[in-house]
Amino acid sequence: MMPLICVDCDGVLFNTRLLFRVPALERIDRPARHALFAEFRDTGLEFMPRPFFEFALAKGYINAEEKDELIRHFCAATENADQLLFEDALPFLKQFPKSMLALLTRADPEWQLANIRTAKVARHVGQTFIVQGDLGKQDVLTGLAFRFRPIFFIDDSPEEIERARSVPGVVPLHLDRSRASTDESYPDLISVAEYIRQTLGSDVIGAKAA
């Protein structure tokens, strides 16, 4: 079977933390922000600016003026999504054949597709999977495992990494940009690429045109 590299978007290719560096959100402490996101996901929805910030308004986390400001801020960010890419994002993707790469991200499809297209990431990958729910990525990996081996799964979520461990043929690679490389994680996509290339060998990866 051919190998496959499945790459998450937020926190892996996109530095989405930059989006949240606005006063209306920074005044909410981190535990409260996490609780808000978890509560919103419990409704069965994934992040989308308007419904999310309307939800935050209804729950009393922000006021009406802040809601309008945040919706404008996030919609403008989508129009400039290429500026959110980490410096190593495109160099990483360009190291591998398009047929060997797939995006696997949990998000609202409309929102994430807009970001992917604006950032011109789609041209470098052969497949794109946008899922919802806690088991969305695991289900996609389970299906892909019948056609690809090994599957390198790159994600910044420890929970997603742990769920992926149960899928035969999947090699979970935890990306943690906040710390140095350890036995359990990688600090950047440069080190991830090095591991994948060493594991597969140049004869499998083949020549990749610039």
Side-chain angles (χ1 to χ4, degrees), residues 145-161:
F146 289 101
R147 296 185 288 132
F148 300 94
R149 293 286 179 98
I151 299 174
F152 298 95
F153 172 58
I154 308 165
D155 204 287
D156 66 322
S157 166
E159 293 80 13
E160 296 288 7
I161 291 295

Side-chain angles (χ1 to χ4, degrees), residues 162-183:
E162 192 57 36
R163 283 190 280 264
R165 294 189 195 282
S166 67
V167 183
V170 173
V171 181
L173 302 175
H174 181 217
L175 184 69
D176 186 350
R177 292 183 179 276
S178 66
R179 59 192 302 175
S181 181
T182 68
D183 291 339

Side-chain angles (χ1 to χ4, degrees), residues 28-85:
I28 306 173
D29 63 53
R30 181 171 295 182
R33 286 202 305 271
H34 288 173
L36 173 60
F37 273 93
E39 199 173 351
F40 182 72
R41 277 184 163 176
D42 285 343
T43 67
L45 299 174
E46 299 293 344
F47 180 83
M48 183 78 168
R50 184 170 296 280
F52 177 77
F53 291 118
E54 288 177 347
F55 180 84
L57 172 65
K59 292 295 181 177
Y61 285 91
I62 57 177
N63 59 42
E65 183 179 345
E66 289 172 329
K67 181 208 73 171
D68 293 339
E69 174 192 340
L70 287 165
I71 291 173
R72 287 194 298 270
H73 167 72
F74 275 77
C75 289
T78 299
E79 297 174 2
N80 299 282
D82 57 318
Q83 297 179 20
L84 295 175
L85 288 171

Side-chain angles (χ1 to χ4, degrees), residues 105-178:
T105 177
R106 177 180 176 179
D108 176 270
E110 181 182 350
W111 164 255
Q112 196 69 300
L113 274 175
N115 292 324
I116 291 169
R117 289 168 179 161
T118 304
K120 298 179 174 61
V121 170
R123 66 179 62 176
H124 300 292
V125 302
Q127 304 177 76
T128 297
F129 302 95
I130 302 177
V131 303
Q132 292 79 49
D134 290 344
L135 300 181
K137 292 183 180 181
Q138 182 180 346
D139 289 344
V140 169
L141 290 170
T142 300
L144 290 172
F146 289 101
R147 296 185 288 132
F148 300 94
R149 293 286 179 98
I151 299 174
F152 298 95
F153 172 58
I154 308 165
D155 204 287
D156 66 322
S157 166
E159 293 80 13
E160 296 288 7
I161 291 295
E162 192 57 36
R163 283 190 280 264
R165 294 189 195 282
S166 67
V167 183
V170 173
V171 181
L173 302 175
H174 181 217
L175 184 69
D176 186 350
R177 292 183 179 276
S178 66

